[in-house]
Amino acid sequence: MGRCLRPLLRGTTYTRLLHLWVPMLVVSVWMFIDPSRPWVPALVLVPLGLLPGVRTGEGVQARLLLLPGDSDPGLSVAPSATWRDRLRTVLWLEARMALGAVALFACVWLPSLVYDLVVGAGGQVPDDLPLLGDAAPGWWLTLLIPVPLLVLYGVVVGLGELVTAVARGLLGPSAAERLAALEERSQQLLERNRIARELHDSIGHALTVAVVQAGAARAAGDPDFTDRALAAIEDSGRSALADLERVLGVLRESGRPVSDRPTLTEADRLLESARASGAKVDAELTGRLETVPGPVSREGYRILQEALTNVLRHAGVVPVRVRVGVADDLLHLEVRNPLTTRIPDPDPGHGSGLRGIRERAALLGGRAVTGPDEGDWQVRAELPLR
């Protein structure tokens, strides 16, 4: 019993009924003007529904009254962009008016019928409410009083569910809107992944340098070396804080440009950081790196940063050969170091850092190879400049 009466306790039941009554206000006013032509309001809805902005207004009303509080109502509030959207809006307006007429008729006629039954059970049927026809008054009419009330309950609840379903079908997003929403969602996911890679590369590199330097300083027991190690840790920490601030800036301001992110023209900073950690870096930078397009240069910097971080993290203080060059409309980047037993797993399919390198290259239309090669561990990437 409580489950059957639950719709009567929900505010949505009454907001949906209000939504059905709203167009009937216009019809009621028109009936006072020209009751001989009741079809005029339905005819006016055709050109009205073709206006792009009407779809927005109907979508907002439907969200507020049919699905209040629903986080994902599935109703579009965008203006009509195609003729298909306009025709769907016209159909919606006509359907809303038809269902509203049924709701209004039921809400007026059924209570009047209840009144007739009550009066008839008392002994007479009034002439001004002849809904019972020639039925003889009597106590048995009392048994029929709940019937119109149950019908009214079913009509109100049923029409509310029906108009909501029709709204989802006719005011729901079109195929183009669904595609645009999917593309926007994909862009958001790509942006989240990019930010995650930025944090992984910059903060991971700084922490790796700090750990290696601290360990080397403790093992060396040399005050001068300890001073140099602390200076390198400080420098790496400042760089990481600057990178972190850039990433947080992107989160705070979605329209903020990324042009202030580091590029390959600042590769010396990475090389010096690796050398300060004790690695013997043999670097060769050829070509005009300043002419490399911004997106390619920024991603190349991150690839180089991640490759050097992996060397320090997994191989320790070992000789590292770095080759960065621009030739044949390609940016060539290679980092090699001798394989050591400290590398836990030479499988190139493992590790988010190596996967991030390959993803960065693939997003730019290039390719990256990571893994063992002739006794060395290599990271080799080729990024197109166009």
Side-chain angles (χ1 to χ4, degrees), residues 44-230:
V44 172
L45 292 180
V46 175
L48 183 65
L50 297 178
L51 299 176
V54 173
R55 185 175 180 83
T56 299
E58 291 298 318
V60 171
Q61 285 186 58
R63 284 192 175 192
L64 292 176
L65 298 178
L66 297 182
L67 294 164
D70 195 329
S71 58
D72 186 17
L75 300 175
S76 174
V77 293
S80 299
T82 64
W83 280 104
R84 179 181 175 85
D85 291 341
R86 292 182 173 91
L87 293 177
R88 291 172 68 201
T89 306
V90 171
L91 290 175
W92 159 250
L93 291 175
E94 299 290 352
R96 181 183 178 186
M97 177 169 286
L99 294 175
V102 174
L104 184 62
F105 179 77
C107 290
V108 172
W109 184 77
L110 290 173
S112 299
L113 180 58
V114 172
Y115 179 78
D116 280 5
L117 291 172
V118 172
V119 174
Q124 64 177 7
V125 178
D127 295 334
D128 56 343
L129 290 173
L131 297 177
L132 296 179
D134 297 329
W139 64 268
W140 60 271
L141 294 177
T142 306
L143 302 177
L144 299 178
I145 292 176
V147 175
L149 294 177
L150 292 175
V151 174
L152 178 62
Y153 167 79
V155 169
V156 170
V157 176
L159 286 180
E161 294 292 340
L162 180 58
V163 73
T164 302
V166 173
R168 283 196 168 107
L170 296 178
L171 294 180
S174 63
E177 290 172 337
R178 287 194 295 268
L179 181 60
L182 181 60
E183 290 178 349
E184 181 180 359
R185 176 61 176 166
S186 298
Q187 290 297 325
Q188 291 175 349
L189 291 176
L190 289 174
E191 182 66 11
R192 288 176 58 184
N193 288 335
R194 187 188 68 79
I195 291 174
R197 286 197 301 266
E198 291 289 322
L199 290 174
H200 174 274
D201 293 347
S202 60
I203 306 302
H205 177 78
L207 291 177
T208 299
V209 170
V211 170
V212 172
Q213 289 282 7
R218 185 179 61 178
D222 182 355
D224 293 336
F225 184 85
T226 300
D227 290 340
R228 292 195 300 271
L230 290 176

Side-chain angles (χ1 to χ4, degrees), residues 298-331:
R298 287 190 289 269
E299 297 304 316
Y301 179 93
R302 292 305 186 192
I303 291 174
L304 177 60
Q305 184 180 53
E306 178 60 28
L308 292 174
T309 301
N310 283 338
V311 172
L312 296 173
R313 181 181 300 156
H314 299 301
V317 180
V318 297
V320 184
R321 188 175 67 183
V322 176
R323 298 291 183 266
V324 180
V326 178
D328 301 328
D329 292 330
L330 288 174
L331 172 65

Side-chain angles (χ1 to χ4, degrees), residues 223-281:
D224 293 336
F225 184 85
T226 300
D227 290 340
R228 292 195 300 271
L230 290 176
I233 292 174
E234 181 182 8
D235 183 65
S236 298
R238 292 182 185 278
S239 299
L241 287 174
D243 287 340
L244 180 61
E245 183 61 30
R246 278 191 287 264
V247 173
L248 294 178
V250 173
L251 290 174
R252 297 191 193 102
E253 305 173 25
S254 58
R256 181 175 176 176
V258 297
S259 57
D260 56 349
R261 289 164 49 198
T263 64
L264 281 175
T265 57
E266 303 173 58
D268 288 340
R269 188 179 72 177
L270 288 177
L271 301 176
E272 290 303 321
S273 176
R275 291 189 180 104
S277 299
K280 300 177 181 178
V281 181

